[in-house]
Amino acid sequence: MARGEHGEDVHLDVGGRDVRISSPDRIYFPERGETKLDLAHYYLAVGDGILRALRERPTMLHRFPKGVSGAKVHQKRLPKGAPDWVETVRLHFPRFDLHADELCPTELAQIIWAVQMSTVELHPWNVRRADVDRPDEWRIDLDPMPDAPFDRVRRVAGVVHEVLDELGVVGYPKTSGGSGLHVYVRVEPRWEFGEVRRAALAFAREVERRAPQDVTTTWWRKDRDPAAVFVDYNQNARDHTIAAAYSVRGNARGTVSTPVTWDEIADVEPQDCTIATVPERFAEVGDLHASIDDVAHDLTLLLEWAQRDEAAGHEGAGRARRLISAGPYSSRRIGTISSYRKVGHGAQSCSDVAG
């Protein structure tokens, strides 16, 4: 076997595929000293979860050839030298009239191969390759501004949960791996990116109406309250991606974007969810997003909200505080978005499992 400066090549059997890991001893995460091989073993440990998050989705790679202390490469196109069993999907970028063939995972070996190519973070689109113009996933990104404590993010998540429940929508929360939280909702792939973004903005405005001291939908960062939580509806626009459930983040601690239950949000400490703790948690509680594909929701009601806002002259983000009394917003019960089936789940925290 070839031996380089950072150790002898390691070959992993992943679902019958032979995946080579070169430089396995290279330190990727300096806080505890985890290596490139440790990263591959992490993704193997959460294999069912990360594959569910990425399956048949165009996936952008955040590569760190020298570990997370080095430069980051944002990789849209599949890196050269891929085995013939690594699958891709072709995407169009209308702004530049360009195309790119992105990784489109259908088996775990393809994800481990991405690790061999120095990938740390995996950022999927919110579409599947069957229709790359119509999202099947609505993403609610709770992004705290610099002066917003995580307790404020927790409170806003509670409001998000309340509104989703009133809509009859099942949302799947996870830590971002940074300072925020994400909530994912499966939707029927009937609408293009612009319409899904409009629905997401209408929802964000409703959350802002209910928690005006904690939430902002103001688009320009310079105009936002630095202590507010921005509900980033623009994560639903074309070519916007965020870290997948179970994706490791490119920081020295090796934090992980970790699925949690709604009840856990009150106590979860995102910095405790790392490549050192999440595998044991996964072994204990399984994939908390395992049922995410059981329900596909209809966005019609949210698009009606968007139309009302626009008709009232509130097309720009950040004006939602002025619309507290009208229409569906004055009721605690705001109607139900139709869906196919109901689901549920439960779990433990990262720190509880990892000790």
Side-chain angles (χ1 to χ4, degrees):
M1 292 186 181
R3 182 176 183 85
E5 178 185 355
H6 299 286
E8 186 175 279
D9 291 359
V10 172
H11 287 257
L12 301 174
D13 183 344
V14 186
R17 307 283 194 193
D18 178 67
V19 183
R20 179 178 66 94
I21 304 295
S22 62
S23 300
D25 299 333
R26 184 189 293 277
I27 300 297
Y28 265 44
F29 305 98
E31 182 168 312
R32 288 178 308 271
E34 286 98 349
T35 65
K36 182 179 181 181
L37 184 59
D38 291 328
L39 179 63
H41 284 153
Y42 162 78
Y43 279 121
L44 288 171
V46 298
D48 287 348
I50 188 64
L51 184 57
R52 181 173 288 105
L54 300 178
R55 187 186 298 277
E56 297 193 352
R57 296 190 183 280
T59 300
M60 183 177 178
L61 310 178
H62 288 200
R63 299 172 54 227
F64 294 82
K66 303 298 182 183
V68 300
S69 298
K72 176 165 68 170
V73 178
H74 293 260
Q75 187 94 30
K76 291 180 184 284
R77 291 174 172 81
L78 189 75
K80 293 180 179 179
D84 59 10
W85 45 263
V86 172
E87 298 185 42
T88 62
V89 61
R90 173 153 291 196
L91 298 174
H92 181 229
F93 300 90
R95 181 179 176 186
F96 305 105
D97 195 25
L98 295 173
H99 292 84
D101 295 319
E102 289 199 6
L103 177 68
C104 186
T106 59
E107 58 180 292
L108 184 56
Q110 296 164 356
I111 298 169
I112 304 304
W113 174 82
V115 173
Q116 158 58 13
M117 301 305 293
S118 69
T119 300
V120 173
E121 300 190 18
L122 296 145
H123 287 236
W125 285 49
N126 60 341
V127 298
R128 309 259 193 186
R129 68 177 174 184
D131 189 341
V132 296
D133 294 313
R134 291 174 176 80
D136 75 329
E137 189 167 78
W138 159 30
R139 296 170 175 176
I140 304 166
D141 180 10
L142 306 184
D143 182 14
M145 294 299 97
D147 297 338
F150 192 66
D151 278 347
R152 182 158 293 151
V153 180
R154 299 180 205 271
R155 287 201 301 271
V156 175
V159 179
V160 167
H161 192 197
E162 174 186 89
V163 179
L164 288 176
D165 276 354
E166 293 174 12
L167 289 167
V169 168
V170 180
Y172 290 79
K174 65 184 182 74
T175 66
S176 68
S179 56
L181 290 170
H182 302 151
V183 181
Y184 284 3
V185 176
R186 285 289 187 269
V187 297
E188 298 171 11
R190 294 166 46 193
W191 299 275
E192 295 189 356
F193 290 98
E195 293 298 277
V196 175
R197 181 183 178 277
R198 284 179 68 228
L201 173 55
F203 180 87
R205 286 176 174 146
E206 175 61 19
V207 173
E208 186 179 33
R209 290 181 187 100
R210 298 192 184 197
Q213 302 307 312
D214 290 332
V215 175
T216 182
T217 57
T218 299
W219 177 241
W220 296 110
R221 189 179 185 92
K222 64 182 178 60
D223 296 330
R224 295 177 202 153
D225 180 346
V229 175
F230 176 48
V231 182
D232 189 356
Y233 51 88
N234 216 47
Q235 294 295 359
N236 297 280
R238 179 185 290 273
D239 196 25
H240 282 238
T241 63
I242 52 182
Y246 302 105
S247 175
V248 182
R249 305 307 304 269
N251 56 56
R253 189 171 179 80
T255 57
V256 171
S257 184
T258 306
V260 293
T261 67
W262 288 105
D263 288 343
E264 284 182 297
I265 289 173
D267 300 310
V268 69
E269 295 294 343
Q271 294 300 306
D272 290 343
C273 297
T274 71
I275 64 171
T277 62
V278 171
E280 186 175 354
R281 169 183 168 84
F282 190 88
E284 291 283 341
V285 305
D287 180 12
L288 298 185
H289 287 191
S291 56
I292 193 170
D293 290 314
D294 291 354
V295 175
H297 294 287
D298 183 346
L299 293 177
T300 300
L301 181 56
L302 287 176
L303 290 170
E304 290 174 1
W305 291 10
Q307 187 173 11
R308 291 187 185 192
D309 285 352
E310 292 157 5
H314 299 282
E315 296 183 20
R319 300 178 183 177
R321 290 191 181 99
R322 303 176 188 175
L323 287 178
I324 297 177
S325 59
Y329 319 116
S330 61
S331 172
R332 302 305 291 175
R333 291 293 302 174
I334 50 185
T336 301
I337 289 180
S338 64
S339 59
Y340 300 139
R341 293 182 297 277
K342 295 184 181 294
V343 300
H345 52 270
Q348 296 172 277
S349 71
C350 300
S351 55
D352 287 344
V353 173

